PDB file of all heavy atoms in Angstrom:
ATOM      1  N   GLN A   1       0.860  -1.183   0.000  1.00 94.00           N
ATOM      2  CA  GLN A   1       0.000   0.000   0.000  1.00 94.00           C
ATOM      3  C   GLN A   1       0.899   1.237   0.000  1.00 94.00           C
ATOM      4  O   GLN A   1       1.119   1.880   1.022  1.00 94.00           O
ATOM      5  CB  GLN A   1      -0.935  -0.029   1.211  1.00 94.00           C
ATOM      6  CG  GLN A   1      -1.884  -1.210   1.161  1.00 94.00           C
ATOM      7  CD  GLN A   1      -2.740  -1.328   2.405  1.00 94.00           C
ATOM      8  OE1 GLN A   1      -2.475  -0.703   3.422  1.00 94.00           O
ATOM      9  NE2 GLN A   1      -3.772  -2.145   2.318  1.00 94.00           N
ATOM     10  N   TRP A   2       1.402   1.529  -1.177  1.00 96.00           N
ATOM     11  CA  TRP A   2       2.446   2.534  -1.328  1.00 96.00           C
ATOM     12  C   TRP A   2       1.986   3.935  -0.964  1.00 96.00           C
ATOM     13  O   TRP A   2       2.738   4.685  -0.326  1.00 96.00           O
ATOM     14  CB  TRP A   2       3.030   2.479  -2.740  1.00 96.00           C
ATOM     15  CG  TRP A   2       3.487   1.099  -3.075  1.00 96.00           C
ATOM     16  CD1 TRP A   2       2.989   0.276  -4.045  1.00 96.00           C
ATOM     17  CD2 TRP A   2       4.502   0.343  -2.398  1.00 96.00           C
ATOM     18  NE1 TRP A   2       3.640  -0.936  -4.021  1.00 96.00           N
ATOM     19  CE2 TRP A   2       4.574  -0.927  -3.013  1.00 96.00           C
ATOM     20  CE3 TRP A   2       5.345   0.597  -1.329  1.00 96.00           C
ATOM     21  CZ2 TRP A   2       5.458  -1.919  -2.604  1.00 96.00           C
ATOM     22  CZ3 TRP A   2       6.241  -0.390  -0.914  1.00 96.00           C
ATOM     23  CH2 TRP A   2       6.281  -1.633  -1.558  1.00 96.00           C
ATOM     24  N   ASP A   3       0.774   4.315  -1.351  1.00 96.00           N
ATOM     25  CA  ASP A   3       0.295   5.663  -1.037  1.00 96.00           C
ATOM     26  C   ASP A   3       0.163   5.854   0.474  1.00 96.00           C
ATOM     27  O   ASP A   3       0.543   6.895   1.010  1.00 96.00           O
ATOM     28  CB  ASP A   3      -1.044   5.940  -1.721  1.00 96.00           C
ATOM     29  CG  ASP A   3      -0.910   6.080  -3.227  1.00 96.00           C
ATOM     30  OD1 ASP A   3       0.123   6.611  -3.683  1.00 96.00           O
ATOM     31  OD2 ASP A   3      -1.827   5.647  -3.944  1.00 96.00           O
ATOM     32  N   ASP A   4      -0.371   4.861   1.152  1.00 96.00           N
ATOM     33  CA  ASP A   4      -0.501   4.923   2.608  1.00 96.00           C
ATOM     34  C   ASP A   4       0.874   4.981   3.265  1.00 96.00           C
ATOM     35  O   ASP A   4       1.099   5.765   4.190  1.00 96.00           O
ATOM     36  CB  ASP A   4      -1.288   3.711   3.120  1.00 96.00           C
ATOM     37  CG  ASP A   4      -1.596   3.806   4.598  1.00 96.00           C
ATOM     38  OD1 ASP A   4      -1.979   4.894   5.067  1.00 96.00           O
ATOM     39  OD2 ASP A   4      -1.445   2.780   5.298  1.00 96.00           O
ATOM     40  N   ALA A   5       1.795   4.181   2.769  1.00 96.00           N
ATOM     41  CA  ALA A   5       3.153   4.173   3.320  1.00 96.00           C
ATOM     42  C   ALA A   5       3.829   5.527   3.114  1.00 96.00           C
ATOM     43  O   ALA A   5       4.490   6.036   4.026  1.00 96.00           O
ATOM     44  CB  ALA A   5       3.974   3.058   2.674  1.00 96.00           C
ATOM     45  N   ILE A   6       3.643   6.125   1.948  1.00 97.00           N
ATOM     46  CA  ILE A   6       4.227   7.436   1.673  1.00 97.00           C
ATOM     47  C   ILE A   6       3.702   8.466   2.671  1.00 97.00           C
ATOM     48  O   ILE A   6       4.477   9.229   3.259  1.00 97.00           O
ATOM     49  CB  ILE A   6       3.950   7.878   0.215  1.00 97.00           C
ATOM     50  CG1 ILE A   6       4.784   7.030  -0.757  1.00 97.00           C
ATOM     51  CG2 ILE A   6       4.214   9.370   0.025  1.00 97.00           C
ATOM     52  CD1 ILE A   6       4.390   7.191  -2.213  1.00 97.00           C
ATOM     53  N   THR A   7       2.403   8.467   2.895  1.00 97.00           N
ATOM     54  CA  THR A   7       1.796   9.411   3.836  1.00 97.00           C
ATOM     55  C   THR A   7       2.358   9.228   5.234  1.00 97.00           C
ATOM     56  O   THR A   7       2.726  10.197   5.907  1.00 97.00           O
ATOM     57  CB  THR A   7       0.264   9.233   3.853  1.00 97.00           C
ATOM     58  OG1 THR A   7      -0.242   9.464   2.536  1.00 97.00           O
ATOM     59  CG2 THR A   7      -0.395  10.192   4.823  1.00 97.00           C
ATOM     60  N   ARG A   8       2.461   7.989   5.675  1.00 97.00           N
ATOM     61  CA  ARG A   8       2.962   7.710   7.030  1.00 97.00           C
ATOM     62  C   ARG A   8       4.439   8.075   7.179  1.00 97.00           C
ATOM     63  O   ARG A   8       4.852   8.642   8.180  1.00 97.00           O
ATOM     64  CB  ARG A   8       2.741   6.249   7.372  1.00 97.00           C
ATOM     65  CG  ARG A   8       1.278   5.908   7.562  1.00 97.00           C
ATOM     66  CD  ARG A   8       1.065   4.414   7.712  1.00 97.00           C
ATOM     67  NE  ARG A   8      -0.327   4.092   7.739  1.00 97.00           N
ATOM     68  CZ  ARG A   8      -0.963   3.640   8.821  1.00 97.00           C
ATOM     69  NH1 ARG A   8      -0.306   3.483   9.950  1.00 97.00           N
ATOM     70  NH2 ARG A   8      -2.236   3.351   8.755  1.00 97.00           N
ATOM     71  N   ILE A   9       5.231   7.723   6.185  1.00 97.00           N
ATOM     72  CA  ILE A   9       6.668   8.031   6.248  1.00 97.00           C
ATOM     73  C   ILE A   9       6.892   9.537   6.242  1.00 97.00           C
ATOM     74  O   ILE A   9       7.717  10.060   6.997  1.00 97.00           O
ATOM     75  CB  ILE A   9       7.424   7.340   5.099  1.00 97.00           C
ATOM     76  CG1 ILE A   9       7.378   5.820   5.278  1.00 97.00           C
ATOM     77  CG2 ILE A   9       8.874   7.830   5.033  1.00 97.00           C
ATOM     78  CD1 ILE A   9       7.816   5.042   4.057  1.00 97.00           C
ATOM     79  N   GLN A  10       6.140  10.251   5.411  1.00 98.00           N
ATOM     80  CA  GLN A  10       6.283  11.710   5.365  1.00 98.00           C
ATOM     81  C   GLN A  10       5.929  12.331   6.716  1.00 98.00           C
ATOM     82  O   GLN A  10       6.577  13.287   7.149  1.00 98.00           O
ATOM     83  CB  GLN A  10       5.417  12.303   4.256  1.00 98.00           C
ATOM     84  CG  GLN A  10       5.966  12.036   2.881  1.00 98.00           C
ATOM     85  CD  GLN A  10       5.036  12.486   1.769  1.00 98.00           C
ATOM     86  OE1 GLN A  10       3.818  12.530   1.939  1.00 98.00           O
ATOM     87  NE2 GLN A  10       5.609  12.804   0.619  1.00 98.00           N
ATOM     88  N   ALA A  11       4.933  11.781   7.395  1.00 98.00           N
ATOM     89  CA  ALA A  11       4.558  12.292   8.721  1.00 98.00           C
ATOM     90  C   ALA A  11       5.689  12.072   9.726  1.00 98.00           C
ATOM     91  O   ALA A  11       6.004  12.970  10.517  1.00 98.00           O
ATOM     92  CB  ALA A  11       3.279  11.609   9.193  1.00 98.00           C
ATOM     93  N   ILE A  12       6.313  10.923   9.674  1.00 98.00           N
ATOM     94  CA  ILE A  12       7.413  10.632  10.592  1.00 98.00           C
ATOM     95  C   ILE A  12       8.628  11.497  10.253  1.00 98.00           C
ATOM     96  O   ILE A  12       9.333  11.967  11.143  1.00 98.00           O
ATOM     97  CB  ILE A  12       7.763   9.134  10.572  1.00 98.00           C
ATOM     98  CG1 ILE A  12       6.582   8.309  11.054  1.00 98.00           C
ATOM     99  CG2 ILE A  12       8.982   8.862  11.454  1.00 98.00           C
ATOM    100  CD1 ILE A  12       6.728   6.814  10.826  1.00 98.00           C
ATOM    101  N   LEU A  13       8.846  11.730   8.958  1.00 98.00           N
ATOM    102  CA  LEU A  13       9.967  12.570   8.542  1.00 98.00           C
ATOM    103  C   LEU A  13       9.823  14.009   9.041  1.00 98.00           C
ATOM    104  O   LEU A  13      10.821  14.707   9.190  1.00 98.00           O
ATOM    105  CB  LEU A  13      10.128  12.564   7.025  1.00 98.00           C
ATOM    106  CG  LEU A  13      10.956  11.426   6.455  1.00 98.00           C
ATOM    107  CD1 LEU A  13      10.832  11.365   4.938  1.00 98.00           C
ATOM    108  CD2 LEU A  13      12.406  11.544   6.872  1.00 98.00           C
ATOM    109  N   GLN A  14       8.600  14.448   9.310  1.00 97.00           N
ATOM    110  CA  GLN A  14       8.403  15.781   9.889  1.00 97.00           C
ATOM    111  C   GLN A  14       9.082  15.873  11.250  1.00 97.00           C
ATOM    112  O   GLN A  14       9.597  16.919  11.624  1.00 97.00           O
ATOM    113  CB  GLN A  14       6.909  16.086  10.046  1.00 97.00           C
ATOM    114  CG  GLN A  14       6.168  16.232   8.746  1.00 97.00           C
ATOM    115  CD  GLN A  14       6.591  17.465   7.979  1.00 97.00           C
ATOM    116  OE1 GLN A  14       6.827  18.513   8.559  1.00 97.00           O
ATOM    117  NE2 GLN A  14       6.699  17.339   6.664  1.00 97.00           N
ATOM    118  N   MET A  15       9.110  14.753  11.979  1.00 97.00           N
ATOM    119  CA  MET A  15       9.720  14.720  13.307  1.00 97.00           C
ATOM    120  C   MET A  15      11.191  14.314  13.262  1.00 97.00           C
ATOM    121  O   MET A  15      11.951  14.642  14.159  1.00 97.00           O
ATOM    122  CB  MET A  15       8.951  13.752  14.208  1.00 97.00           C
ATOM    123  CG  MET A  15       7.522  14.173  14.466  1.00 97.00           C
ATOM    124  SD  MET A  15       6.626  12.983  15.453  1.00 97.00           S
ATOM    125  CE  MET A  15       6.281  11.713  14.237  1.00 97.00           C
ATOM    126  N   GLN A  16      11.582  13.569  12.209  1.00 97.00           N
ATOM    127  CA  GLN A  16      12.940  13.062  12.087  1.00 97.00           C
ATOM    128  C   GLN A  16      13.483  13.329  10.680  1.00 97.00           C
ATOM    129  O   GLN A  16      13.727  12.396   9.920  1.00 97.00           O
ATOM    130  CB  GLN A  16      12.970  11.558  12.354  1.00 97.00           C
ATOM    131  CG  GLN A  16      12.471  11.138  13.704  1.00 97.00           C
ATOM    132  CD  GLN A  16      12.468   9.620  13.845  1.00 97.00           C
ATOM    133  OE1 GLN A  16      13.314   8.933  13.304  1.00 97.00           O
ATOM    134  NE2 GLN A  16      11.494   9.111  14.570  1.00 97.00           N
ATOM    135  N   PRO A  17      13.686  14.586  10.325  1.00 97.00           N
ATOM    136  CA  PRO A  17      14.053  14.906   8.939  1.00 97.00           C
ATOM    137  C   PRO A  17      15.436  14.423   8.502  1.00 97.00           C
ATOM    138  O   PRO A  17      15.712  14.382   7.307  1.00 97.00           O
ATOM    139  CB  PRO A  17      13.968  16.435   8.895  1.00 97.00           C
ATOM    140  CG  PRO A  17      14.165  16.861  10.305  1.00 97.00           C
ATOM    141  CD  PRO A  17      13.566  15.767  11.153  1.00 97.00           C
ATOM    142  N   VAL A  18      16.291  14.051   9.435  1.00 97.00           N
ATOM    143  CA  VAL A  18      17.628  13.592   9.056  1.00 97.00           C
ATOM    144  C   VAL A  18      17.784  12.078   9.236  1.00 97.00           C
ATOM    145  O   VAL A  18      18.893  11.575   9.353  1.00 97.00           O
ATOM    146  CB  VAL A  18      18.737  14.357   9.824  1.00 97.00           C
ATOM    147  CG1 VAL A  18      18.744  15.814   9.416  1.00 97.00           C
ATOM    148  CG2 VAL A  18      18.575  14.208  11.318  1.00 97.00           C
ATOM    149  N   ASN A  19      16.697  11.360   9.216  1.00 98.00           N
ATOM    150  CA  ASN A  19      16.722   9.910   9.341  1.00 98.00           C
ATOM    151  C   ASN A  19      16.915   9.303   7.940  1.00 98.00           C
ATOM    152  O   ASN A  19      15.991   9.278   7.124  1.00 98.00           O
ATOM    153  CB  ASN A  19      15.426   9.411   9.979  1.00 98.00           C
ATOM    154  CG  ASN A  19      15.451   7.935  10.280  1.00 98.00           C
ATOM    155  OD1 ASN A  19      15.923   7.137   9.488  1.00 98.00           O
ATOM    156  ND2 ASN A  19      14.909   7.573  11.430  1.00 98.00           N
ATOM    157  N   ALA A  20      18.112   8.829   7.674  1.00 98.00           N
ATOM    158  CA  ALA A  20      18.451   8.299   6.351  1.00 98.00           C
ATOM    159  C   ALA A  20      17.578   7.106   5.979  1.00 98.00           C
ATOM    160  O   ALA A  20      17.170   6.968   4.819  1.00 98.00           O
ATOM    161  CB  ALA A  20      19.921   7.907   6.304  1.00 98.00           C
ATOM    162  N   ARG A  21      17.291   6.243   6.939  1.00 97.00           N
ATOM    163  CA  ARG A  21      16.478   5.054   6.648  1.00 97.00           C
ATOM    164  C   ARG A  21      15.081   5.434   6.184  1.00 97.00           C
ATOM    165  O   ARG A  21      14.530   4.819   5.266  1.00 97.00           O
ATOM    166  CB  ARG A  21      16.401   4.136   7.869  1.00 97.00           C
ATOM    167  CG  ARG A  21      17.723   3.542   8.248  1.00 97.00           C
ATOM    168  CD  ARG A  21      18.100   2.425   7.327  1.00 97.00           C
ATOM    169  NE  ARG A  21      19.504   2.064   7.526  1.00 97.00           N
ATOM    170  CZ  ARG A  21      20.142   1.187   6.805  1.00 97.00           C
ATOM    171  NH1 ARG A  21      19.539   0.568   5.832  1.00 97.00           N
ATOM    172  NH2 ARG A  21      21.400   0.931   7.036  1.00 97.00           N
ATOM    173  N   LEU A  22      14.501   6.451   6.816  1.00 98.00           N
ATOM    174  CA  LEU A  22      13.166   6.892   6.402  1.00 98.00           C
ATOM    175  C   LEU A  22      13.181   7.434   4.977  1.00 98.00           C
ATOM    176  O   LEU A  22      12.269   7.155   4.194  1.00 98.00           O
ATOM    177  CB  LEU A  22      12.625   7.950   7.361  1.00 98.00           C
ATOM    178  CG  LEU A  22      12.233   7.446   8.747  1.00 98.00           C
ATOM    179  CD1 LEU A  22      11.829   8.604   9.648  1.00 98.00           C
ATOM    180  CD2 LEU A  22      11.102   6.425   8.656  1.00 98.00           C
ATOM    181  N   HIS A  23      14.215   8.172   4.630  1.00 98.00           N
ATOM    182  CA  HIS A  23      14.328   8.657   3.250  1.00 98.00           C
ATOM    183  C   HIS A  23      14.481   7.475   2.287  1.00 98.00           C
ATOM    184  O   HIS A  23      13.917   7.482   1.196  1.00 98.00           O
ATOM    185  CB  HIS A  23      15.504   9.621   3.101  1.00 98.00           C
ATOM    186  CG  HIS A  23      15.230  10.964   3.690  1.00 98.00           C
ATOM    187  ND1 HIS A  23      14.402  11.887   3.096  1.00 98.00           N
ATOM    188  CD2 HIS A  23      15.682  11.534   4.839  1.00 98.00           C
ATOM    189  CE1 HIS A  23      14.350  12.978   3.843  1.00 98.00           C
ATOM    190  NE2 HIS A  23      15.119  12.792   4.908  1.00 98.00           N
ATOM    191  N   GLY A  24      15.207   6.454   2.719  1.00 98.00           N
ATOM    192  CA  GLY A  24      15.350   5.254   1.902  1.00 98.00           C
ATOM    193  C   GLY A  24      14.021   4.540   1.708  1.00 98.00           C
ATOM    194  O   GLY A  24      13.681   4.114   0.596  1.00 98.00           O
ATOM    195  N   TYR A  25      13.257   4.419   2.789  1.00 97.00           N
ATOM    196  CA  TYR A  25      11.936   3.774   2.684  1.00 97.00           C
ATOM    197  C   TYR A  25      11.006   4.572   1.776  1.00 97.00           C
ATOM    198  O   TYR A  25      10.261   4.002   0.966  1.00 97.00           O
ATOM    199  CB  TYR A  25      11.288   3.627   4.058  1.00 97.00           C
ATOM    200  CG  TYR A  25      11.985   2.664   4.981  1.00 97.00           C
ATOM    201  CD1 TYR A  25      12.014   2.892   6.352  1.00 97.00           C
ATOM    202  CD2 TYR A  25      12.617   1.525   4.510  1.00 97.00           C
ATOM    203  CE1 TYR A  25      12.644   2.019   7.218  1.00 97.00           C
ATOM    204  CE2 TYR A  25      13.254   0.646   5.367  1.00 97.00           C
ATOM    205  CZ  TYR A  25      13.262   0.894   6.723  1.00 97.00           C
ATOM    206  OH  TYR A  25      13.882   0.033   7.574  1.00 97.00           O
ATOM    207  N   LEU A  26      11.067   5.890   1.900  1.00 98.00           N
ATOM    208  CA  LEU A  26      10.236   6.734   1.040  1.00 98.00           C
ATOM    209  C   LEU A  26      10.655   6.563  -0.423  1.00 98.00           C
ATOM    210  O   LEU A  26       9.806   6.472  -1.314  1.00 98.00           O
ATOM    211  CB  LEU A  26      10.353   8.189   1.483  1.00 98.00           C
ATOM    212  CG  LEU A  26       9.426   9.199   0.831  1.00 98.00           C
ATOM    213  CD1 LEU A  26       7.969   8.786   0.957  1.00 98.00           C
ATOM    214  CD2 LEU A  26       9.640  10.578   1.452  1.00 98.00           C
ATOM    215  N   GLY A  27      11.953   6.478  -0.644  1.00 98.00           N
ATOM    216  CA  GLY A  27      12.445   6.234  -1.996  1.00 98.00           C
ATOM    217  C   GLY A  27      11.935   4.925  -2.572  1.00 98.00           C
ATOM    218  O   GLY A  27      11.549   4.848  -3.741  1.00 98.00           O
ATOM    219  N   ILE A  28      11.906   3.892  -1.744  1.00 97.00           N
ATOM    220  CA  ILE A  28      11.387   2.591  -2.194  1.00 97.00           C
ATOM    221  C   ILE A  28       9.927   2.709  -2.601  1.00 97.00           C
ATOM    222  O   ILE A  28       9.514   2.165  -3.631  1.00 97.00           O
ATOM    223  CB  ILE A  28      11.565   1.521  -1.102  1.00 97.00           C
ATOM    224  CG1 ILE A  28      13.049   1.190  -0.940  1.00 97.00           C
ATOM    225  CG2 ILE A  28      10.748   0.265  -1.409  1.00 97.00           C
ATOM    226  CD1 ILE A  28      13.372   0.342   0.280  1.00 97.00           C
ATOM    227  N   CYS A  29       9.142   3.422  -1.797  1.00 98.00           N
ATOM    228  CA  CYS A  29       7.725   3.596  -2.130  1.00 98.00           C
ATOM    229  C   CYS A  29       7.554   4.294  -3.472  1.00 98.00           C
ATOM    230  O   CYS A  29       6.753   3.867  -4.309  1.00 98.00           O
ATOM    231  CB  CYS A  29       7.019   4.382  -1.032  1.00 98.00           C
ATOM    232  SG  CYS A  29       6.903   3.527   0.544  1.00 98.00           S
ATOM    233  N   TYR A  30       8.307   5.366  -3.676  1.00 98.00           N
ATOM    234  CA  TYR A  30       8.223   6.074  -4.954  1.00 98.00           C
ATOM    235  C   TYR A  30       8.697   5.185  -6.106  1.00 98.00           C
ATOM    236  O   TYR A  30       8.100   5.185  -7.184  1.00 98.00           O
ATOM    237  CB  TYR A  30       9.054   7.355  -4.925  1.00 98.00           C
ATOM    238  CG  TYR A  30       8.437   8.478  -4.116  1.00 98.00           C
ATOM    239  CD1 TYR A  30       9.204   9.205  -3.210  1.00 98.00           C
ATOM    240  CD2 TYR A  30       7.098   8.836  -4.278  1.00 98.00           C
ATOM    241  CE1 TYR A  30       8.656  10.242  -2.482  1.00 98.00           C
ATOM    242  CE2 TYR A  30       6.540   9.859  -3.546  1.00 98.00           C
ATOM    243  CZ  TYR A  30       7.322  10.564  -2.654  1.00 98.00           C
ATOM    244  OH  TYR A  30       6.774  11.595  -1.938  1.00 98.00           O
ATOM    245  N   TYR A  31       9.740   4.420  -5.866  1.00 98.00           N
ATOM    246  CA  TYR A  31      10.258   3.521  -6.898  1.00 98.00           C
ATOM    247  C   TYR A  31       9.180   2.513  -7.310  1.00 98.00           C
ATOM    248  O   TYR A  31       8.967   2.259  -8.496  1.00 98.00           O
ATOM    249  CB  TYR A  31      11.505   2.806  -6.388  1.00 98.00           C
ATOM    250  CG  TYR A  31      12.228   2.017  -7.442  1.00 98.00           C
ATOM    251  CD1 TYR A  31      13.225   2.607  -8.206  1.00 98.00           C
ATOM    252  CD2 TYR A  31      11.929   0.684  -7.681  1.00 98.00           C
ATOM    253  CE1 TYR A  31      13.894   1.885  -9.188  1.00 98.00           C
ATOM    254  CE2 TYR A  31      12.582  -0.044  -8.645  1.00 98.00           C
ATOM    255  CZ  TYR A  31      13.566   0.561  -9.401  1.00 98.00           C
ATOM    256  OH  TYR A  31      14.213  -0.167 -10.367  1.00 98.00           O
ATOM    257  N   LYS A  32       8.507   1.955  -6.317  1.00 97.00           N
ATOM    258  CA  LYS A  32       7.452   0.968  -6.604  1.00 97.00           C
ATOM    259  C   LYS A  32       6.297   1.582  -7.381  1.00 97.00           C
ATOM    260  O   LYS A  32       5.594   0.886  -8.097  1.00 97.00           O
ATOM    261  CB  LYS A  32       6.937   0.344  -5.311  1.00 97.00           C
ATOM    262  CG  LYS A  32       7.957  -0.511  -4.599  1.00 97.00           C
ATOM    263  CD  LYS A  32       8.234  -1.773  -5.368  1.00 97.00           C
ATOM    264  CE  LYS A  32       9.098  -2.721  -4.570  1.00 97.00           C
ATOM    265  NZ  LYS A  32       9.282  -3.994  -5.241  1.00 97.00           N
ATOM    266  N   LYS A  33       6.091   2.888  -7.230  1.00 97.00           N
ATOM    267  CA  LYS A  33       5.028   3.582  -7.962  1.00 97.00           C
ATOM    268  C   LYS A  33       5.527   4.143  -9.293  1.00 97.00           C
ATOM    269  O   LYS A  33       4.810   4.882  -9.956  1.00 97.00           O
ATOM    270  CB  LYS A  33       4.458   4.710  -7.105  1.00 97.00           C
ATOM    271  CG  LYS A  33       3.660   4.218  -5.913  1.00 97.00           C
ATOM    272  CD  LYS A  33       3.103   5.347  -5.081  1.00 97.00           C
ATOM    273  CE  LYS A  33       2.254   6.306  -5.833  1.00 97.00           C
ATOM    274  NZ  LYS A  33       0.922   5.887  -6.206  1.00 97.00           N
ATOM    275  N   ASN A  34       6.773   3.779  -9.674  1.00 97.00           N
ATOM    276  CA  ASN A  34       7.383   4.249 -10.922  1.00 97.00           C
ATOM    277  C   ASN A  34       7.566   5.762 -10.951  1.00 97.00           C
ATOM    278  O   ASN A  34       7.574   6.376 -12.025  1.00 97.00           O
ATOM    279  CB  ASN A  34       6.586   3.786 -12.150  1.00 97.00           C
ATOM    280  CG  ASN A  34       6.594   2.288 -12.283  1.00 97.00           C
ATOM    281  OD1 ASN A  34       7.587   1.634 -11.999  1.00 97.00           O
ATOM    282  ND2 ASN A  34       5.469   1.717 -12.686  1.00 97.00           N
ATOM    283  N   LYS A  35       7.737   6.353  -9.794  1.00 98.00           N
ATOM    284  CA  LYS A  35       8.040   7.780  -9.685  1.00 98.00           C
ATOM    285  C   LYS A  35       9.541   7.896  -9.442  1.00 98.00           C
ATOM    286  O   LYS A  35       9.994   8.153  -8.335  1.00 98.00           O
ATOM    287  CB  LYS A  35       7.238   8.421  -8.558  1.00 98.00           C
ATOM    288  CG  LYS A  35       5.750   8.446  -8.810  1.00 98.00           C
ATOM    289  CD  LYS A  35       5.026   9.166  -7.700  1.00 98.00           C
ATOM    290  CE  LYS A  35       3.557   9.320  -8.056  1.00 98.00           C
ATOM    291  NZ  LYS A  35       2.855  10.127  -7.045  1.00 98.00           N
ATOM    292  N   PHE A  36      10.296   7.683 -10.504  1.00 97.00           N
ATOM    293  CA  PHE A  36      11.739   7.534 -10.377  1.00 97.00           C
ATOM    294  C   PHE A  36      12.464   8.833 -10.031  1.00 97.00           C
ATOM    295  O   PHE A  36      13.490   8.792  -9.360  1.00 97.00           O
ATOM    296  CB  PHE A  36      12.305   6.882 -11.638  1.00 97.00           C
ATOM    297  CG  PHE A  36      11.694   5.549 -11.919  1.00 97.00           C
ATOM    298  CD1 PHE A  36      10.918   5.344 -13.044  1.00 97.00           C
ATOM    299  CD2 PHE A  36      11.849   4.496 -11.022  1.00 97.00           C
ATOM    300  CE1 PHE A  36      10.333   4.105 -13.288  1.00 97.00           C
ATOM    301  CE2 PHE A  36      11.270   3.264 -11.255  1.00 97.00           C
ATOM    302  CZ  PHE A  36      10.512   3.065 -12.396  1.00 97.00           C
TER     303      PHE A  36
END
């Protein structure tokens, strides 16, 4: 559920903007949606 995951990760990134793993997870979600 990529759209839901994107929304949740973005919310967490508001609190932890320098968390590399979260940016990686967000990248995976976009990749799966072909938003390269």
